[in-house]
Amino acid sequence: MFREFNYDTQPIVEIVNEIIADAVKNRASDIHFDPTPDKLKVRMRIDGDLVDYAYVPEVLKKNLTTRIKIISGMNITESRLPQDGAIKTELDGRPLDMRVSSLPIVDGEKVVIRVLDYSTSLKGIENIGISDVNLEKVKRMLALPNGIILTTGATGSGKSTTTYAMLSELNKPEINIITVEDPVEMKIEGLNQVQTMSEIGLTFAAALRSILRQDPDVIMIGEIRDDETARIAVRSAITGHLVVSTIHTNNALNTIERLLDMDIERYLLGTAISGIISQRLAKMLCTKCRGSRPATPYEKLVIRKAIGIEIDNLYTPNGCPECIGGYRGRIPVHEVLEIDQDLKDAITNNRPKEEMRHLVYGDGKTVTMLQDGLKKVVNGLTSFEEILRIIDIESDFGDDDDDEMKLALMGKLEVDENGFVIGESKKKEQEAAAALAKQLGQATAPAAPTPDTFTPLIDQPATETLAEPPMPQQTGQQPETLVSPVNETQMAPQEVKTPTFTEAGYEIPTEEALSFNQGAFGDLGEMSLDDFDDFD
Ligand SMILES: [Zn+2]
C-alpha cells in the first residue's frame, strides 16, 4: 500500500494523477492530505479505516495542495478560509466524480478528496448485498403507490447506495420522480433532481412545497433532518405519493421513536409510514485467504440462539497481499421492517417502547441486524468479530436485563464446551434452535466447515437453504459489493497499468459541478474557469 514516489524527477501533476488512480484501484472512499510540520501525509480510507499511503516532502507540500485546488476549481490565492470544490474526470473510460474540501489548519491546508462511486447503486436492488427475505420485503414496499420508505443508518453506512438503488428500480418513463438533495450525489437519467441552496432560501422544506405542484409520483428527500421536512414527507405520502428518504438512526425501533419525538401528527405518521430499512456495513472476509478456526462455546451459543444453526468452526481473517488484515470490501447488514396494521395502530396511539419492540421483533417478524449478520458469518462473507463490532447491545436490545441474547452477547451466561447454558436442558435448547431455523426458512443447518476438509460453505448446496444472497463469486459480481469502483481484472496485480485520463487531462469543472457548494465559490477573484488551464 505505501507508495514511494521519485519526488526529485516526477512532475507534481503526475504524482497527483497517480494518487487518485491508486485511490480508485484500492477502492478508497476518501483521500486525506494532512500537513505536518515536516511533510504532507497522504492517507486513504479503505473499507472504513484510514491507511498511510505516502509522505510528500515539505518542499512539495504547497505545490501538491495547489495542484489539487486547481483541478477542483478552488481559488488558489485563498488559503486562509475553507473551500469546497469538485473534480470530474475519467479513469480507464469510466467517469469519476470527486468532491474536494480544504481546511486551513496550523501546519497548512488539509485537503480531503471524497471519491464518489455509485456503480453499486446502478447494478440494481438485487445486487446490493440484501438477503432474499429482505429483498422481497423491499420490493413489496416499492410496489405500493404511496407511503414513506426510510433507509436509516449512520454516516458511511451505505444508505445513499441503497436509496439510489431503490430509485433506479422505480425509474420508469411513465413515472415522475423528483428528488431534493443536499448535495445531489449522483445524477441519474430520468430523475428530476433538485439541489438545495439554503443560502438563497431553497431549503428542503421550500423545495418540497414546490415539488408537490409538479405532479410527482415518487419524491426522494435526501434526508429528514427537521420537523417541517418530516411533516411534508408525511403529508406527501398520505396524499398519494411514494416518498423515499433517509434518517440518521441506527435501527428500525429507534427510527419509530425518533419520528414520534418529532412534531408530527401521530395518526398521520402511522398512516404514512410503510417501511424502514436499517443498514450497517461489515468488513468482508478476503476470499483469497480466509481460514477456519474452532468456534468458542460462547460463539456456538450466540449463533444457535440467534439463527438456530449448530456450528463447530467459523471462518476467520488471515491476511494476504490482496487484502488488509484479512478483509477486503464491505457488505451491508440489514434489518427490514414492514409496517403492518398493528404497528400503525401502535404508532398512532403512541404505545410504550417495549410493546413497540414486541411488534417490531416479536414472533420472528423482522430478521434482526444480528440475525442477518450471523447468517453472513456462517456463509463466510464476514467474521463473527465484525458482526459483534457493529452490533450495538445498548440500543439493539431492550432494557430487559434477563434477555438471554443480550446476556449471551455480553458473555454473561455460563456455558459448557458445546455452548449450552449450564443448567439448561440441552434437548430443550436444540428443539428451540430447530424451530427457530425453520422459522427463518432454514430447512437444515448446514454442515459446519472442519479444518481437515475445509471447503468454503458457499460452494456447498446446503447453504442455499439459508435464503442468502448469492455469493459474489457465483454471480460474477465483485465481493466488495458496496465500495468497489473497479472490476476484478483491473485489481489483479499482473494487470496494473497506467490509468488513462481524458486526453486533455482533467476536465475543468463546469459551473454545474462547482455548484456542489455555491457558498465557497462566491469569490473566485480575478480568475475565470479558463485560467485553470494555464496552471498545468
Ligand atoms: Zn486476503
Side-chain angles (χ1 to χ4, degrees), residues 285-290 318-328:
L285 279 173
C286 170
T287 48
K288 298 261 159 53
C289 68
R290 67 180 171 187
N318 274 330
C320 71
E322 289 191 36
C323 64
I324 299 171
Y327 296 99
R328 196 191 136 105

Side-chain angles (χ1 to χ4, degrees), residues 336-350:
V336 180
L337 173 69
E338 273 182 301
I339 312 279
D340 60 14
Q341 195 54 49
D342 287 348
L343 207 44
K344 281 178 187 288
D345 293 344
I347 292 171
T348 304
N349 297 307
N350 200 15

Side-chain angles (χ1 to χ4, degrees), residues 247-266:
I247 192 163
H248 194 111
T249 49
N250 57 5
N251 59 32
L253 188 66
N254 282 8
T255 307
I256 294 176
E257 286 178 339
R258 171 81 201 281
L259 290 169
L260 287 173
D261 281 343
M262 290 179 137
D263 183 21
I264 324 168
E265 298 88 335
R266 298 201 190 296

